[in-house]
Amino acid sequence: MEKKENNRGKLDSIRKEIKRTQLILIITVTVLLTIGGAIINIKSNDSALDQILQDTSRLISRLYNFTKDFSRKDLCTYMDAVVLELPDVDVLSIVDRDNVRIYHSNHNLINTEYDGTHPDFSMHDKGFYTENDIGPSGPQRRSYCALYDGSGEYLGFLMTIRLKSSIANVTERTISLFLIVVVVAILLELAVCTYIFKKIKKDFLEFTEDFEGTKFLVDSMRANNHDFTNKLHVILGLIQIQEYDKAVSYIQNISIIQRETISKIMKTVDNPSFAALLVGKIARASECNVKFILKDEIHFDSSDIDVPSEALVTVTGNLIDNALDAMNMDTSFDKTKELTFGTFTKPGELLITVKDTGPGIADDIREKIFENGFSTKGSGRGVGLYHTKQLIESLGGTISFESQLGNGTCFMVKLQNK
């Protein structure tokens, strides 16, 4: 049973690893896509900003052709009104051919000498271009545009400027938006993943339960094969000593017992895995020279109580194996070895009893038998009852026992659905 528990542990580990890997992939892919989307969006915003600044520069250069003869005061009033209508422009500056600012969004700089970078329009035949620079307002992205009169004479240049602080604010808002999107996306994906995983887990558990049922049927057939081999040896011996009537009687007797036992289990236990386990354990008991007795009122209806087949098989299998081991350790040759098993259900409740005629449990170890690692069978043992108790308690049940030295032990498991 320890090996079976290890196999189930491996299955649980595989399921958890699949879920963990799935979550890591979902989060990683979502984050990478979001980072990629944010970078693309920021680059796109930068390109769009350059285009806006250049288009705005050309528009204002045309407006300037109509206002170049305005007085400085009227030009200032007009351009202030224009700048107010340009949400993507923080600063507008117009510099004449004498290198004097004839307009600036910061009025304190009007009529002052321009001491910044002078645009080189010879490298830009379109008469405008955009670059990064530093001005009185700090780091900025600025677009230069040349100014000409009607005859094509150079009058100066203007700059439409977006401050880096404003660009950073837009970038932060973009990143914040993407972070919100990624969090919402991950939460939605986790919700969908959890729903799908639960469905897959349910299907997987049903599959493993069916597999366990098949596995126990195979174990049952193997145990029955050994049992029948022993019986065939008896029959062969009776034939060889010419006790033909006894051979016939023996064959009829074991056939009736086997048929009645299997028929009783199939009629009273409607869980295939549980039923297969009992058939296998009956054959195993026969190999151990132990009489396996099913209580007359035995009854298990899976509609009465919701217990995973895997847990039911683990608990029952461990208790039966411990009972068989206990009786095999008993050196009293004149003592009858019997294992009496019962399982009973009613709506919301389950009772399992396993009674043996082994040596019993001494008073000084009764408090220790459920401890991890404790065993009277030697080193490397002592995990069966510990794990059995842990599993039962995880299902909200209890396990108890009654024992009498020299007469045997009876374990009782009670489970209830809340």
Side-chain angles (χ1 to χ4, degrees), residues 165-367:
S165 58
S166 297
I167 297 173
N169 290 334
V170 173
T171 301
E172 288 175 2
R173 287 197 298 271
T174 300
I175 293 175
S176 298
L177 177 61
F178 271 89
L179 286 176
I180 293 172
V181 170
V182 72
V183 170
V184 172
I186 289 176
L187 290 176
L188 289 174
E189 288 166 347
L190 290 177
V192 173
C193 175
T194 300
Y195 171 77
I196 294 175
F197 187 78
K198 284 182 178 178
K199 191 174 185 307
I200 293 174
K201 182 179 179 180
K202 180 181 178 183
D203 295 339
F204 185 73
L205 285 175
E206 289 176 356
F207 167 77
T208 54
E209 287 179 3
D210 291 340
F211 178 77
E212 285 292 330
T214 303
K215 186 170 179 290
F216 280 116
L217 282 173
V218 173
D219 291 341
S220 171
M221 291 172 65
R222 185 180 294 112
N224 274 302
N225 180 56
H226 292 166
D227 187 35
F228 274 110
T229 299
N230 294 332
K231 288 180 172 62
L232 285 174
H233 289 160
V234 174
I235 295 169
L236 179 61
L238 289 172
I239 292 174
Q240 287 177 338
I241 63 175
Q242 298 182 358
E243 294 286 350
Y244 303 117
D245 291 339
K246 290 184 178 180
V248 171
S249 177
Y250 182 77
I251 292 171
Q252 290 175 341
N253 185 49
I254 61 175
S255 296
I256 292 172
I257 293 174
Q258 187 74 7
R259 185 169 59 252
E260 288 180 349
T261 300
I262 294 177
S263 176
K264 184 175 182 179
I265 291 174
M266 298 307 295
K267 287 180 180 179
T268 57
V269 178
D270 70 349
N271 183 301
S273 298
F274 193 21
L277 172 75
L278 294 178
V279 172
K281 293 303 180 185
I282 289 172
R284 171 64 179 154
S286 179
E287 286 184 325
C288 297
N289 197 30
V290 173
K291 185 178 180 181
F292 197 110
I293 301 172
L294 292 172
K295 286 193 174 181
D296 292 335
E297 62 271 29
I298 185 173
H299 169 76
F300 181 90
D301 189 342
S302 57
S303 64
D304 284 339
I305 189 163
D306 183 20
V307 181
S309 295
E310 188 176 353
L312 192 62
V313 164
T314 298
V315 169
T316 304
N318 275 344
L319 292 178
I320 291 176
D321 284 346
N322 280 335
L324 292 175
D325 288 344
M327 286 184 283
N328 283 335
M329 293 173 61
D330 195 341
T331 57
S332 302
F333 293 101
D334 59 341
K335 188 175 182 180
T336 301
K337 296 181 179 180
E338 292 181 347
L339 189 155
T340 305
F341 176 81
T343 180
F344 318 94
T345 63
K346 62 182 181 179
E349 295 184 21
L350 166 66
L351 172 65
I352 296 174
T353 62
V354 178
K355 182 179 179 182
D356 64 61
T357 56
I361 301 173
D363 292 340
D364 58 336
I365 64 171
R366 291 190 177 208
E367 301 297 326

Side-chain angles (χ1 to χ4, degrees), residues 52-116:
I52 290 171
L53 291 176
Q54 291 176 11
D55 291 343
T56 303
S57 295
R58 284 180 289 173
L59 172 63
I60 296 176
S61 68
R62 294 189 181 96
L63 294 176
Y64 180 73
N65 287 331
F66 298 101
T67 60
K68 62 180 180 295
D69 296 327
F70 282 15
S71 65
R72 295 291 174 87
K73 181 179 179 181
D74 291 340
L75 178 64
C76 180
T77 302
Y78 182 81
M79 288 300 172
D80 281 346
V82 171
V83 172
L84 286 175
E85 299 299 323
L86 302 173
D88 295 309
V89 175
D90 294 321
V91 178
L92 173 62
S93 180
I94 301 176
V95 181
D96 65 14
R97 74 181 92 190
D98 296 323
N99 208 36
V100 175
R101 298 183 179 93
I102 61 175
Y103 174 77
H104 196 282
S105 300
N106 181 356
H107 292 178
N108 293 328
L109 296 176
I110 296 175
N111 295 324
T112 61
E113 182 179 1
Y114 174 71
D115 55 358

Side-chain angles (χ1 to χ4, degrees), residues 132-147:
N132 292 320
D133 208 334
I134 298 178
S137 303
Q140 53 196 239
R141 185 72 174 169
R142 58 172 61 166
S143 179
Y144 298 99
C145 183
L147 299 174

